[in-house]
Amino acid sequence: MWMRRNLFPTWWDSLLTVIFGVVAVWGAVTLVQFLVTSDYTIIRVNLANFIVGRFPRDELWRPAVALVVTLAAIGFVAGVASAAARAVALDEGSSFRSASFVENLRRQWPLLVTIFVVLMLTETWGPRLTVLVAVAAAFLAFIGGKRAPAAVRRWAWLLALVMLGVAYAILVVAGGVGWGGWGGIQLNIFLTVAGILLAFPLGLVLALGRRSSLPAVRLVSVSYIELIRGVPLITLLLMGIFAIGFFLPAGIRPGPVARVLIAITLFEAAYIAEVVRGGLQSVHHGQVEASQALGMAPWKTTRLIVLPQALRATIPAMVGQFISLFKDTTLVSLVGLFDVLTISGVANAQPAFLAQGLETVTLPFVGLLFWVGSYAMSREARRLEKRLGVGER
């Protein structure tokens, strides 16, 4: 019997099973009681603030359309990746079984729970319809990516970037709202994605520079990495807000969001450089010597042999760094930006909810949003590791 073999094999295991079982039941009952008895009026009233902050209410169609386009881009890339994995498995003669619809739903249960919570907290059908259309767009794009011809799948990354550019343009062009008017979880996601896209190439250059045979390049790279890694992120954020203006010409004064993004990029690049350096060290030197014996140029050796293996080995650490960045974006609340954590404090300070202790409702909601984002990144990273065989020999 499974329970006898795994939960009650000895008296000590039985005791631990009973103790942890009682604690688990007590925790579950307490959680259900909290969820059932809590008043979610503050979240219903401020749901738009939590999502988009001070974004003009007459322009909310912009983030709604941008959400649909963004999820469609993500779904298309996921479909192309699934088709590519199937093609590789078939070429290698190994078995490949596509996950069923039910299995895919089970894998994405945190996202489905969040969608359900948002749908239940909305007071009108507009936001509900937006969420349902966005999910449908992602699903249809996933199917389209799986069935797309090979010529289209080859340029999937470019198409996805174009779609993300379209989503950004919808938000800002033709009377749209620039960075300064963004807020809520939208601002946290933007800082995370933009920080990753800007910091990754810089960190890659720093990692290669640290291993360079040129003393000047190596000295500059090492100095930058060690200096930035020795400074807390909040210090760089404060310097970004108050000091960046002193280093720029008088006619160039970036807004607060741009200054924060610069600080995040500089900070994240140093950590990415160390992660990539660890991956570079994992590549056996014999492969470099073999490429040299074949007459390959150094830059080709790095691009075609060293970097692919190094980046493959750094997937777990790299995703962990990205998750850390996503959570660290809440620090921008300390420099006056209206991210989702700031919105939580503002909502609790509203006259209708003042001094009611509703932080016990708003803060868990904020935590749910961050947990779902972090879990999604971690889950997709594990799937990518499994597909690439990271850690297998």
Side-chain angles (χ1 to χ4, degrees):
M1 187 175 180
W2 182 89
M3 293 184 62
R4 173 72 177 178
R5 183 173 62 256
N6 294 277
L7 299 180
F8 304 99
T10 64
W11 71 269
W12 174 248
D13 293 316
S14 302
L15 179 62
L16 291 179
T17 298
V18 172
I19 293 175
F20 284 109
V22 171
V23 172
V25 171
W26 173 81
V29 171
T30 304
L31 178 61
V32 171
Q33 183 181 8
F34 168 77
L35 294 176
V36 171
T37 60
S38 297
D39 184 6
Y40 300 101
T41 304
I42 186 173
I43 298 180
R44 291 192 180 95
V45 172
N46 293 279
L47 187 60
N49 294 328
F50 280 108
I51 304 302
V52 295
R54 298 177 298 176
F55 207 95
R57 294 303 181 255
D58 57 343
E59 298 285 342
L60 286 181
W61 65 269
R62 293 180 180 272
V65 177
L67 175 64
V68 174
V69 175
T70 301
L71 289 186
I74 295 174
F76 181 76
V77 171
V80 170
S82 177
R86 179 183 179 87
V88 170
L90 293 177
D91 290 341
E92 294 177 350
S94 58
S95 60
F96 182 87
R97 186 182 67 87
S98 298
S100 65
F101 181 74
V102 176
E103 288 175 334
N104 285 322
L105 289 180
R106 187 171 65 250
R107 291 173 180 174
Q108 303 300 330
W109 68 267
L111 180 60
L112 296 177
V113 169
T114 305
I115 293 174
F116 176 78
V117 170
V118 172
L119 291 178
M120 292 299 101
L121 292 176
T122 53
E123 298 179 316
T124 61
W125 274 101
R128 296 176 183 176
L129 184 61
T130 299
V131 173
L132 294 176
V133 170
V135 173
F139 177 74
L140 294 176
F142 177 81
I143 299 300
K146 289 184 67 174
R147 300 181 179 180
V152 176
R153 295 201 303 265
R154 187 179 300 112
W155 299 99
W157 63 272
L158 181 59
L159 180 59
L161 288 179
V162 171
M163 294 177 69
L164 292 177
V166 170
Y168 176 77
I170 292 172
L171 291 170
V172 300
V173 303
V177 181
W179 296 352
W182 294 7
I185 194 66
Q186 176 193 23
L187 179 60
N188 296 93
I189 295 175
F190 168 74
L191 291 175
T192 302
V193 175
I196 291 172
L197 293 178
L198 294 175
F200 183 79
L202 179 57
L204 192 62
V205 171
L206 289 171
L208 295 175
R210 184 160 189 167
R211 290 169 55 89
S212 174
S213 59
L214 300 176
V217 175
R218 187 168 61 251
L219 177 61
V220 171
S221 300
V222 171
S223 301
Y224 175 88
I225 293 172
E226 297 302 331
L227 175 63
I228 297 299
R229 291 178 70 235
V231 179
L233 177 57
I234 184 60
T235 303
L236 292 180
L237 293 176
L238 292 173
M239 290 184 63
I241 292 294
F242 298 110
I244 282 183
F246 293 104
F247 300 97
L248 297 175
I252 302 178
R253 287 293 185 271
V257 176
R259 298 186 183 198
V260 164
L261 183 57
I262 292 173
I264 288 176
T265 301
L266 297 177
F267 179 83
E268 197 67 16
Y271 283 86
I272 291 177
E274 285 299 280
V275 172
V276 174
R277 184 173 71 93
L280 293 173
Q281 290 177 340
S282 67
V283 180
H284 197 277
H285 189 66
Q287 300 189 40
V288 177
E289 294 176 345
S291 66
Q292 293 173 348
L294 294 174
M296 295 182 64
W299 67 273
K300 279 191 174 182
T301 300
T302 301
R303 183 174 66 89
L304 300 177
I305 297 178
V306 177
L307 277 182
Q309 298 181 73
L311 295 180
R312 173 178 173 273
T314 61
I315 290 176
M318 192 72 71
V319 173
Q321 189 60 40
F322 294 160
I323 292 175
S324 177
L325 171 62
F326 180 46
K327 294 182 292 186
D328 286 344
T329 55
T330 55
L331 291 174
V332 302
S333 61
L334 301 178
V335 295
L337 297 186
F338 281 81
D339 77 314
V340 67
L341 189 59
T342 305
I343 297 297
S344 174
V346 172
N348 285 286
Q350 292 173 344
F353 309 109
L354 188 63
Q356 295 186 23
L358 295 178
E359 294 87 351
T360 56
V361 177
T362 57
L363 290 181
F365 179 69
V366 172
L368 173 65
L369 296 178
F370 278 96
W371 177 78
V372 169
S374 301
Y375 181 85
M377 285 191 283
S378 176
R379 184 61 181 264
E380 293 306 313
R382 289 199 299 269
R383 292 177 62 183
L384 182 60
E385 292 172 28
K386 184 177 180 180
R387 184 176 302 162
L388 296 179
V390 177
E392 300 177 3
R393 295 186 180 274

